[in-house]
Amino acid sequence: PVVKGTKRKSKRPQIIAKKPSASADIPDDVPYLLIGGGAATFSAFRAIKLADPQAKVLVITNEPYTPYMRPPLSKEMFSSTDRQMVQNMEFKQTDGSPRSIFFEDETYYLPCTRLKEEENGGVALAQGWTVKKLEVTKKTAILEDGKEIKYGKCLLAVGSKPKNIAAFEDLTPDVDERVTFYRGIFDFEELDEIVTNGAKSIVIVGGGFLGSELACSLAKRGRGAGLSVTQIFPEKNNMSKVLPEYLGRWTMKMIRNEGVQVLPDSKVDQVYMVKDQIQVLLCDGKVIPADQVVVAVGAEPNTELAKISNLEVDESLGGFVANAELEARTDLYVAGDCVCFYDETYGRRRIEHHDNAIVSGRLAGENMVKEVGNPYKEQAIFWSDLGPNISFEAIGLVDPSLPTVGIYAKTEEEDVEEVMGDDEEKDDPNEKYTKGVVFYLKDDIVVGIVLWNVLNKLNIAKHILKQSKKYDDLNELAKLFSLH
Ligand code: NAD
């Protein structure tokens, strides 16, 4: 079960859809057609324009926005006290300077009607339109009104959508109003408005990236304003899809220290209204009243186009099946959350993170311009910020079911501590995993690395993964990260 689209309208007219009024305004034959308007598409058109500055690129997106980045929507955007910045969809970068979440200013994009005649090419956006079918043997995309667009090369970068769970299906309209399936700008605006208007309690369902980041961001934002934030999830600890258990336990402790009431081992049974509040009934009988509930229980690739277009979807990982060059069919490429590609190093994969959208979008864009494409080689990273004490970056196969070895800076006296796998004995309440590196191993080879509060060392991690070899002493290896 999946949530379809968003139910609310943006209150900021300056970025509301400029849908070409008629599909006749959209070119019917383009060298480069990009479907989807997210980070992967942005990265692809940047790569195409770099390799072929005169390229004519048409982007078809059913979003009412120009391509934007999502990571700040669960992190920095909630920290801003400057309402004008929030209104402009700007956030403060680590150096304090403002940055828009939109990759390019609106003026960067050509109107669809000008793309054909523009000698120097450019990127035109057909916003608010949906591709309903691809006829891959005719290299044609068909829009919702039947309009056909022929392409030279096409990219499918249609992303993913929030998953749903049984307790949140078939909601009555009054309950539905109080539930946010968090994903994009509309959802940020909605939650921001609710908090600004003095909400007293928010319940977040989900213990992964989105749930944990939002819990920390909202707790910080609502501190002093009497906002209570409760996080509910079925696992034992926060971030249990990526962190070894002891580190997840520590992370949960840190998130609680931020003021979040974290309820692990908990499932939602039902939601219903009593007076003006939504009530979250858990399977153990506990009821939590809230002003708003945020559901963040994972994402699901948008593969609606697959069946009608005869495209293969990976049965276990989801997403359109593509080769190592990200090509699914002749001259049809796939990138971002919705591609299930062949990684020459780690086999078939699908990755739902911002940097993978950038890396795979760039590779697809480069390959679309070339005679012979390159395979996926550069490992994408991901990162998360969870309150003031946790900021981590990760690369490779970061899967906690693999054996892990964590090496942590212990005290200021240049001492390190090694933690193997899930070492319950090491779960001393006074333990401080303030800074360290976690190696994830497959057949004793380092296949994944988490840099725990270690900044600017990703190149070293990338180099270690590239070596793909066994190390006798991981303590020695950890010294490369200067933990002391
Ligand atoms: P996720 O896959 O990270 O986490 C899903 C979570 O859903 C699980 O951890 C679990 O706690 C929860 N869950 C599953 N079934 C549940 C149930 N029945 N009841 C309650 N909880 C249940 O997905 P997400 O956190 O929703 O994020 C959505 C997408 O956005 C993911 O692809 C994620 O990788 C991406 N994202 C990435 C970042 C980042 O890289 N920093 C940040 C935010 C979102």
Side-chain angles (χ1 to χ4, degrees), residues 74-75 165 183 205-211 213 232-235 240-241 266-268 296-299 337 352-354 382-384:
S74 51
K75 304 181 182 82
I165 48 177
R183 179 86 191 145
V205 183
F209 282 95
L210 197 52
E213 287 178 2
I232 298 163
F233 50 83
E235 296 92 359
S240 55
K241 265 185 12 184
S266 302
K267 281 192 172 173
V268 180
V297 296
D337 284 11
E352 291 169 0
H353 289 288
H354 174 81
F382 58 89
W383 76 96
S384 190

Side-chain angles (χ1 to χ4, degrees), residues 322-327 333 342 344 363-364 367 372-376:
N323 63 16
E325 291 76 30
L326 307 184
E327 201 176 17
Y333 294 77
Y342 181 69
E344 287 183 343
L363 178 64
N367 286 349
V372 180
N374 286 323
Y376 186 98

Side-chain angles (χ1 to χ4, degrees), residues 4-34:
K4 292 191 196 70
T6 179
K7 47 194 178 220
R8 287 149 186 113
K9 293 258 177 297
S10 175
K11 295 195 174 61
R12 285 172 309 109
Q14 72 270 29
I15 54 166
I16 290 179
K18 289 191 201 134
K19 183 167 174 159
S21 49
S23 62
D25 291 344
I26 302 173
D28 41 27
D29 194 349
V30 286
Y32 298 101
L33 175 66
L34 314 186

Side-chain angles (χ1 to χ4, degrees), residues 436-473:
V437 51
V438 187
F439 298 109
Y440 293 69
L441 307 169
K442 203 172 193 178
D443 304 324
D444 295 327
I445 289 172
V446 177
V447 293
I449 298 177
V450 165
L451 300 178
W452 193 251
N453 292 322
V454 174
L455 294 177
N456 304 323
K457 296 278 191 304
L458 269 166
N459 280 344
I460 301 172
K462 280 185 182 174
H463 182 72
I464 293 171
L465 289 194
K466 249 193 201 144
Q467 300 294 305
S468 187
K469 67 176 200 186
K470 293 184 186 178
Y471 292 90
D472 294 333
D473 187 350

